[in-house]
Amino acid sequence: MRNADMDALLAALAGIFAGEGREAALRSAALLRGAMGGDLWAAQPNCGFEAELFATASAPGAHPAAALVAAAQPCLPWGTNPADGKLSAEAAAATASATLLGPGDPIRCEDLLVGLFWQRPGSYYALHNHDADETYVILAGGAVWRAGADKRRRGPGEMIHHPSGMPHAFQAGPQGLLAAWRWSGDVNFQSYTMLPDPEAPPEAP
Ligand SMILES: [Fe+2]
């Protein structure tokens, strides 16, 4: 169905990735814009974490696009991350992705992916890497973000780029983490690998 809330979200995401400026980001932005007004979106079943997601999206200092994510929630296909099967049990329990653009997604593209990512407050998404180039933009909440040797607290509006193969891990803050992400380059999922991570908290007994 056509959905004005999805159109508003697509416009915001297009603006964010247009601002990144990389060629693949500009191409992603053009595809997101081109999908506005389309008949692409179906009502989705309750994802089970609406209340927590809305709390993250309305955290103080959120990027304006976070409210658009909350408004579009009835059509967001959470649980469609093709990497889900590769995640550790901890990461799978702590995170959710909704892929909007990609080879098998409503906005069809064979060599780019764009989606949303939510991470539960206080949870840890352990170190991993993949062949694809990746850019995250934080929309609400925040995390202590590890990208290669760089580790620091990140908040709304910050953009983090992971070149192909760079290990990354996120410790979500007390309000959780809501972000937009995109993949380009070699977007295969076979290469998605959870890595040994000495900084991972011990598993609960
Ligand atoms: Fe990644």
Side-chain angles (χ1 to χ4, degrees):
M1 65 181 172
R2 182 165 179 199
N3 186 292
D5 291 324
M6 284 301 298
D7 283 351
L9 176 59
L10 296 178
L13 296 177
I16 285 169
F17 289 120
E20 181 187 350
R22 292 181 176 89
E23 184 273 338
L26 296 175
R27 209 151 51 87
S28 301
L31 289 167
L32 292 165
R33 274 207 191 93
M36 290 172 63
D39 185 23
L40 297 173
W41 310 105
Q44 298 294 316
N46 187 315
C47 67
F49 53 84
E50 269 88 355
E52 292 172 276
L53 176 77
F54 292 163
T56 301
S58 59
H63 186 284
L68 303 177
V69 172
Q73 171 61 18
C75 288
L76 293 177
W78 292 105
T80 56
N81 182 0
D84 278 355
K86 298 289 196 98
L87 302 187
S88 65
E90 296 84 355
T95 66
S97 288
T99 310
L100 306 178
L101 183 159
D105 299 296
I107 307 172
R108 202 64 183 259
C109 182
E110 295 304 317
D111 66 338
L112 299 171
L113 288 95
V114 175
L116 300 165
F117 175 77
W118 178 75
Q119 188 173 335
R120 216 171 274 287
S123 65
Y124 188 67
Y125 190 171
L127 201 66
H128 61 286
N129 69 355
H130 39 70
D131 288 345
D133 292 301
E134 179 175 64
T135 298
Y136 272 88
V137 176
I138 298 182
L139 302 181
V144 174
W145 201 282
R146 199 144 44 111
D150 183 77
K151 178 184 176 183
R152 61 183 123 149
R153 191 170 300 280
R154 303 283 200 168
E158 289 199 67
M159 180 176 284
I160 305 111
H161 183 68
H162 306 139
S164 173
M166 175 182 276
H168 44 287
F170 327 131
Q171 172 70 60
Q175 288 157 325
L177 170 68
L178 177 65
W181 57 271
R182 65 163 196 86
W183 268 25
S184 59
D186 185 347
V187 296
N188 81 80
F189 282 91
Q190 292 71 35
S191 66
Y192 196 105
T193 305
M194 301 305 295
L195 301 169
D197 187 353
E199 295 191 27
E203 283 184 51

